[in-house]
Amino acid sequence: MQKGTFPLTTSSRVTYMRLMLLGFIFLCFSLLTGAEAECPLQLDPQRVVVRHGGSVEVNCNTSVAHKGMGWEASEGGVPMTRNQNLITWRVSELTEWDINPFCYINPVDGNQCVVKLPVTVYKTPDSVSISTVNHRGPMIEGQQYELQCDVHDVAPVQYLTVKWYKGQTLLHQTTFTDTIETPVNKTVTLLIRPDRADDGAQYWCEAELDLGAEGPQPPPKNSSEPLNVEVYYKPRHFSSTETIIIDNKVMLDCTVKANPAPDYTWSSDDLKEEISSSVLKSSELSPGNYTCTATNILGSDSKVFILKSTERTTFWAIVLTGVVVAVVLIFAYLIFKFKFSKNSLI
Ligand SMILES: *[C@@H]1O[C@H](CO)[C@@H](O)[C@H](O)[C@H]1NC(C)=O
């Protein structure tokens, strides 16, 4: 819109646009209701959802005088009848995917008119399966993998939702916009980057057909088998150093989680032989630094234990007590001496 050709102020332009919008909404509304109101037929129900091979029944009813009414459909059509006001479209085994029945009437006054019946024919999937794309065996922490969910022979795909789960957690979901009515196969993929917490996790996918209020309740769901994921990750200690006072009950514990389980090595000036245990008794060692390294195929992580002796602490405690006693004695002496010298002055 150019300012020069349409000299409206901002506020009047807004009002004008509001009027246009209102007019448009009114037009749509009258078109919709007008078309429905014109044909004196009521369908009950107005929409049907039926399983492929299932049965269906819909009444077409009128309250006006007519020269004939009937159902037109590729299955279960009802020939034109004159003496009834209610006719039923009935199919005991609906096998057509794309069926478009309609009820028609020739009113005494007026032209022939029709009301279409929307029919949704559905089929739950034959199978839902999960797999990893181009990969076998354990996954490695931090790397990306692709999971695939295959949904076989489902219709109509526009009502399908494929959901991804890890345990009970919903990870992602996909819907489809295709309007094809016959069964299709659908493959959905999901990228994952597992970490150590995902070792042993179960991934699975689920196909849900949500066919609306007229459809089966609750909506039919088909789940895949769970995919068990094993994740390899390297050892990682919570802290890289730990100070320990030698005691009968205290251990140097280097145990750390890793997959595959790690091997342990210890190094120190005092250790003569090789140790492969993850735990050492502090009481069997002399004070010093002990470095433990946990290693698996993905890497290694070290931790330093600073081992201190109880004797040394006792020694320092004695020294400290000695110093305190000496200070107290010196003070006592000084006070005594000060008092004494004052007395001697008087
Ligand atoms: C779906 O997959 C199955 C098995 O792989 C196959 O037999 C069938 O033809 C496929 N259907 C469609 C619509 O592609």
Side-chain angles (χ1 to χ4, degrees), residues 70-80 88-91 101-102:
W71 274 103
E72 200 67 60
S74 47
E75 281 182 63
V78 178
M80 189 166 87
T88 305
W89 176 61
R90 192 179 277 121
V91 181
F102 59 87

Side-chain angles (χ1 to χ4, degrees), residues 173-314:
Q173 60 184 53
T174 308
T175 52
F176 305 87
T177 50
D178 331 27
T179 49
I180 184 162
E181 278 153 322
T182 50
V184 293
N185 298 332
K186 279 287 171 189
T187 295
V188 184
T189 59
L190 178 74
L191 290 175
I192 59 165
R193 202 180 284 280
D195 65 20
R196 55 190 58 212
D198 297 324
D199 185 30
Q202 291 193 323
Y203 288 86
W204 53 286
C205 62
E206 182 183 71
E208 183 181 314
L209 268 183
D210 191 352
L211 296 148
E214 296 87 354
Q217 300 297 334
K221 290 174 185 176
N222 293 61
S223 301
S224 71
E225 292 287 309
L227 176 80
N228 293 301
V229 166
E230 184 180 9
V231 181
Y232 275 180
Y233 55 96
K234 58 182 167 192
R236 198 168 66 202
H237 287 102
F238 287 114
S239 59
S240 56
T241 58
E242 189 177 337
T243 303
I244 283 181
I245 310 291
I246 294 176
D247 184 283
N248 276 333
K249 289 177 230 110
V250 179
M251 302 284 193
L252 281 62
D253 191 350
C254 184
T255 314
V256 66
K257 280 186 83 176
N259 191 22
D263 293 325
Y264 298 92
T265 54
W266 291 86
S267 67
S268 160
D269 298 338
D270 291 336
L271 288 174
K272 304 288 179 294
E273 68 225 84
E274 284 215 346
I275 298 170
S276 60
S277 155
S278 66
V279 181
L280 301 184
K281 278 186 181 167
S282 68
S283 55
E284 290 172 1
L285 301 169
S286 45
N289 285 2
Y290 293 81
T291 303
C292 159
T293 304
T295 307
N296 74 1
I297 50 170
L298 292 182
S300 59
D301 190 44
S302 295
K303 177 169 179 171
V304 181
F305 292 87
I306 302 158
L307 193 59
K308 292 183 172 174
S309 75
T310 17
E311 288 95 63
R312 190 168 292 177
T313 13
T314 327

